[in-house]
Amino acid sequence: MKKTIFIFFLLSTVCCLQLSAQWSNKTLIYGSITRSYRVYQSPNYNASFPASLLIALHGLGDNMTNFSSIGFNYIADTANIICIFPQAVSDPYAGTAWNSGAGSSGYYPNSGVNDIGFINALIDTAIANYTIDNSRVYLCGFSMGGFMTERMALQSNTRIAAFASMSGTFGSGITNFSPGRHVPIAHFHGTADATVLYTGNTYGSDPDSLIRFWALNNACNPTPTIYSYPNLVNDGISVDRIQYSNGDPQSDVWFYKMNGAGHTVLFQPANDITEAYELWLFLSRHRLGASGIIDPIDFSHKILVFPNPAHEEITIIFHSSEVINNASLSVYSIQGALLLQQTILHDNTKIDIHSLSKGLYYYQLSNKKGNVISGKFVKQ
């Protein structure tokens, strides 16, 4: 009888996890305009544990539904994030566009739309509807969404812990360059971008100028640390991560220079990196109001375990070599039985789980320094 009850409990838990994962389209009236946005709530969301909030802005002419496929939902499944994908208002000439300050020939799409206020209203709405950690609110965007992200970083950053722009810089119509604080920010840009040019950008600043501004604003050491990702894929693209810092991670400025890449978002296995994962690993390092080095005992911000739910395998990506350090991964059943154990020697390790039955499992990752992180995943 007890065994039957336990099996029923296990099946109910797994079903509830799967059913609670959901996409939902919502609306918000702001500035007399009905605005739309799309929300992803992961199966692991628990109102007892405050979640991070990630708002992601689509590019010019795009929409919230298309951009929501960038992959943040897979990250949210293990990283406890509520993801929001807002919809820009349609401009009569440019299509869906943010009032980002990006323009050409004196025309700036949707210059009368208060998108800064709308994004802040989305933060308020998320806090009202979910249990959100107010110190872990993040903003990112691609192309014009990247331009809008940069405008927010300059002009409305008091509620957002960190920012990341992909292929979008400071718009040429921006006149207020007074952030008022050190702003943790990352930027991704392809050197062969034919839309937002790497050199001679007609819509705003060039990436190098953007990075110089933020490095100066954040009082970073002018000499960066450069990390080159292994160039393993024959895609004509290599990636360098150029990091500016002053010793305080809350002032980090990271530039992902994607040599040979166009106006695009990179994904593995077609490319050497997945921008969405790299972006989240940067953002998750930061908390609003924090200073100094993040607690070395807490390295959960330096790892991704995905997808969740999974089928044949899970992948582990590390943000720091200090976490790997001959780490050991253990997978347990819900009853606590050890089912799988594997030593992790390198980044981007795939763990074969095809032999596991469908259900809920717990994992524990530990290294020889004694750091431990635990989590759970569902095998479908």
Side-chain angles (χ1 to χ4, degrees):
M1 179 67 176
K2 290 183 179 179
K3 183 177 180 181
T4 303
I5 293 173
F6 175 79
I7 292 173
F8 175 77
F9 169 77
L10 175 60
L11 293 174
S12 299
T13 301
V14 172
C15 290
C16 288
L17 281 170
Q18 293 172 337
L19 290 173
S20 65
Q22 59 182 344
W23 288 99
S24 55
N25 293 341
K26 301 177 181 291
T27 59
L28 167 70
I29 298 177
Y30 185 80
S32 301
I33 303 174
T34 299
R35 305 295 300 264
S36 300
Y37 61 100
R38 187 165 167 81
V39 179
Y40 180 75
Q41 176 186 320
S42 84
N44 295 321
Y45 171 72
N46 185 330
S48 299
F49 299 94
S52 300
L53 173 63
L54 176 62
I55 299 176
L57 309 178
H58 65 74
L60 179 67
D62 201 2
N63 59 71
M64 62 184 188
T65 303
N66 184 58
F67 192 58
S68 64
S69 65
I70 193 171
F72 288 134
N73 54 305
Y74 299 113
I75 300 171
D77 286 339
T78 55
N80 192 24
I81 316 168
I82 296 296
C83 299
I84 294 183
F85 301 85
Q87 176 78 44
V89 173
S90 183
D91 178 83
Y93 301 104
T96 50
W98 303 102
N99 181 6
S100 65
S104 181
S105 303
Y107 184 73
Y108 302 99
N110 282 333
S111 58
V113 176
N114 185 2
D115 280 323
I116 289 179
F118 170 54
I119 292 170
N120 279 287
L122 282 175
I123 296 174
D124 291 332
T125 301
I127 291 171
N129 289 283
Y130 303 95
T131 305
I132 299 294
D133 181 344
N134 292 359
S135 72
R136 293 188 181 274
V137 176
Y138 308 103
L139 181 67
C140 69
F142 172 70
S143 192
M144 182 168 272
F147 281 101
M148 188 67 212
T149 298
E150 294 288 350
R151 182 173 187 182
M152 289 288 294
L154 286 171
Q155 300 177 2
S156 186
N157 58 48
T158 58
R159 308 178 69 190
I160 299 173
F163 300 78
S165 63
M166 298 174 282
S167 307
T169 62
F170 294 143
S172 58
I174 296 293
T175 57
N176 179 1
F177 289 86
S178 301
R181 70 175 178 101
H182 291 183
V183 178
I185 194 161
H187 181 66
F188 298 73
H189 216 110
T191 60
D193 193 327
T195 302
V196 182
L197 299 181
Y198 189 87
T199 303
N201 175 17
T202 57
Y203 304 111
S205 65
D206 290 349
D208 287 338
S209 297
L210 175 85
I211 297 302
R212 280 196 299 271
F213 172 88
W214 285 120
L216 286 170
N217 178 80
N218 291 6
C220 294
N221 187 319
T223 302
T225 300
I226 302 176
Y227 171 75
S228 297
Y229 288 81
N231 191 10
L232 303 176
V233 180
N234 186 24
D235 60 352
I237 299 170
S238 63
V239 181
D240 296 318
R241 190 176 70 219
I242 304 170
Q243 301 178 193
Y244 291 88
S245 179
N246 63 9
D248 180 359
Q250 308 312 318
S251 297
D252 285 345
V253 178
W254 287 15
F255 179 29
Y256 290 78
K257 185 177 182 180
M258 303 183 301
N259 305 290
H263 194 67
T264 188
V265 177
L266 302 186
F267 293 92
Q268 295 170 309
N271 310 113
D272 293 317
I273 67 169
T274 296
E275 281 185 55
Y277 300 145
E278 295 293 332
L279 183 152
W280 175 247
L281 286 169
F282 172 82
L283 293 177
S284 62
R285 288 167 49 88
H286 304 99
R287 300 189 304 273
L288 191 65
S291 62
I293 303 300
I294 294 175
D295 184 354
I297 296 175
D298 174 19
F299 64 91
S300 59
H301 63 286
K302 298 180 179 180
I303 181 175
L304 288 176
V305 179
F306 68 95
N308 187 9
H311 292 279
E312 299 296 318
E313 63 184 18
I314 55 176
T315 300
I316 301 176
I317 291 183
F318 297 94
H319 188 52
S320 172
S321 60
E322 72 185 79
V323 181
I324 304 174
N325 204 9
N326 290 319
S328 175
L329 176 75
S330 301
V331 176
Y332 299 89
S333 70
I334 194 170
Q335 299 99 325
L338 178 63
L339 302 178
L340 186 156
Q341 196 165 42
Q342 182 171 329
T343 299
I344 309 298
L345 298 175
H346 56 82
D347 190 10
N348 203 358
T349 298
K350 297 184 184 301
I351 308 297
D352 186 354
I353 61 168
H354 82 276
S355 63
L356 299 180
S357 302
K358 293 181 179 180
L360 177 66
Y361 296 89
Y362 294 90
Y363 68 82
Q364 185 177 81
L365 186 72
S366 59
N367 64 15
K368 64 183 183 182
K369 290 185 177 181
N371 304 130
V372 178
I373 181 172
S374 300
K376 58 188 175 182
F377 67 89
V378 173
K379 165 69 184 298
Q380 289 187 331

